[in-house]
Amino acid sequence: MKQKIHLDTDIGGDIDDLCALAYCLRHPDAELIGVTTVAEHGGRRAGYVRHVLHLAGREDIPVAAGVEAGWQGFRFEQPLPNEQDYWRRAISPSPTPLEQALDLLEASIRQGAQIVAIGAYTHLAMLEERQPGILATARLTLMGGFVFPPRAGFPAWDFTADWNAQVDSVSARVVFERANPTLVPLAVTAETALRFTHLPALERAGALGECLAHQARVFAHAEQLAERYQPDCPALPADFINFQHDPLACAAALGWSGLTFADLRLRVEMEQGWVRLHEDPHGKVFRVAVGVDGEAFAAHWLETVCR
């Protein structure tokens, strides 16, 4: 039986959101039943999702645009890069009322879907405010939740780099306290990679694969993550383009076997506006990804999206 999946995404910036959406669309065991977009720009992110669904021939999947990027609860700005560069055309925005996004998210929870949050956790906290107790019933996987640093050889990130949690730390605290999520933290996603060697196979994988390959090349040129990280991160591959944070969270929700999990007792605190997770023998139990076979995941992701 296929696993129902709902993506809550900030697609349109870092291309791992696009990689995650493609993975869910092509995974044989996934039934993508809804997509909501957070940190919106008048429906432009939702428009990107609809365009990707068109490329995949899946325009039947419901999409709703959620909270705007200018919402007062966001700690950082969340701009969009040049649309013409990444999408090679103007994409029609697809705005909807915020309540429609919360309705779609609630409907997915009621259907028993795995909710995979790969952007700010704002919608989840808003839904909890609207329907107190609903997060306790949700099957929730979060990309984020900083518990321990990455291993030597990978980026030396600390809790301030935990974007999805820290961009709206108040909402993150609500979700950590009220839900029972699986966390896929930076310490593990740091060991994943989208690589230049993946691009020829993507370019042969139809319109969706070609879109991925094009955006990967644009992203590599614009962001130059390899140049930024490789001098201090010898564990990254020589042809590194980007980390696969969000696809790995989707893989966790779908039960991919290359991840290792542990039940950790964590205390949730706010410290000078940052949300923090500390190991504490008296804390709440969280299911946390603690290890990954990065090369195996790269092969698995590529095989899945090139189906």
Side-chain angles (χ1 to χ4, degrees):
M1 181 181 296
K2 289 191 174 185
Q3 169 65 60
K4 291 183 172 70
I5 296 289
H6 179 114
L7 276 187
D8 192 62
T9 174
D10 56 355
I11 191 172
D14 193 317
I15 60 168
D16 63 326
D17 290 81
L18 174 60
C19 293
L21 178 56
Y23 176 81
C24 290
L25 287 167
R26 291 280 174 85
H27 196 292
D29 297 329
E31 179 186 356
L32 187 61
I33 67 167
V35 183
T36 43
T37 52
V38 65
E40 262 293 359
H41 290 255
R44 289 174 67 189
R45 296 188 196 274
Y48 299 154
V49 173
R50 290 191 182 278
H51 178 68
V52 173
L53 296 182
H54 172 73
L55 295 180
R58 292 301 314 277
E59 293 167 285
D60 57 302
I61 297 171
V63 180
V67 64
E68 286 287 318
W71 180 66
Q72 61 183 2
F74 288 133
R75 185 187 194 109
F76 311 118
E77 292 186 3
Q78 301 181 69
L80 291 174
N82 184 277
E83 195 167 276
Q84 190 66 41
D85 290 345
Y86 278 84
W87 299 96
R88 294 180 289 192
R89 49 167 285 187
I91 303 295
S92 298
S94 185
T96 58
L98 171 59
E99 288 300 310
Q100 186 170 327
L102 299 182
D103 289 345
L104 181 57
L105 182 59
E106 179 179 352
S108 293
I109 292 173
R110 303 294 187 198
Q111 293 180 61
Q114 278 279 357
I115 311 301
V116 188
I118 55 176
Y121 311 149
T122 310
H123 290 154
L124 295 167
M126 287 180 168
L127 185 57
E128 176 70 12
E129 182 178 6
R130 191 176 83 167
Q131 294 283 340
I134 193 170
L135 290 186
T137 71
R139 304 173 65 201
L140 180 59
T141 300
L142 305 177
M143 192 281 114
F146 192 93
V147 181
F148 45 87
R151 293 193 301 149
F154 296 99
W157 291 322
D158 65 10
F159 67 91
T160 63
D162 190 15
W163 172 272
N164 290 348
Q166 303 301 356
V167 69
D168 179 7
S169 58
V170 173
S171 290
R173 181 180 186 178
V174 170
V175 174
F176 291 150
E177 291 180 340
R178 304 283 186 86
N180 299 293
T182 293
L183 305 182
V184 183
L186 288 173
V188 177
T189 63
E191 301 191 21
T192 64
L194 177 65
R195 304 172 59 175
F196 277 101
T197 51
H198 299 156
L199 302 190
L202 290 172
E203 288 167 336
R204 297 189 296 270
L208 179 56
E210 197 279 331
C211 178
L212 281 164
H214 169 75
Q215 292 208 10
R217 294 185 190 281
V218 173
F219 182 88
H221 176 75
E223 301 297 329
Q224 299 187 344
L225 295 191
E227 291 81 354
R228 187 191 313 174
Y229 285 115
Q230 281 177 331
D232 301 312
C233 302
L236 295 180
D239 63 337
F240 176 82
I241 296 175
N242 191 28
F243 302 98
Q244 292 281 49
H245 307 290
D246 296 341
L248 190 65
C250 295
L254 287 163
W256 179 63
S257 61
L259 277 159
T260 303
F261 294 90
D263 289 337
L264 302 180
R265 288 193 174 273
L266 304 175
R267 182 180 74 256
V268 183
E269 291 187 348
M270 294 294 291
E271 299 177 7
Q272 297 181 327
W274 303 94
V275 63
R276 300 291 307 274
L277 295 172
H278 299 283
E279 292 198 63
D280 184 333
H282 303 292
K284 176 180 172 181
V285 175
F286 286 77
R287 183 172 182 257
V288 182
V290 295
V292 66
D293 183 334
E295 290 188 9
F297 179 69
H300 165 69
W301 177 84
L302 188 63
E303 179 183 8
T304 300
V305 299
C306 290
R307 290 173 58 89

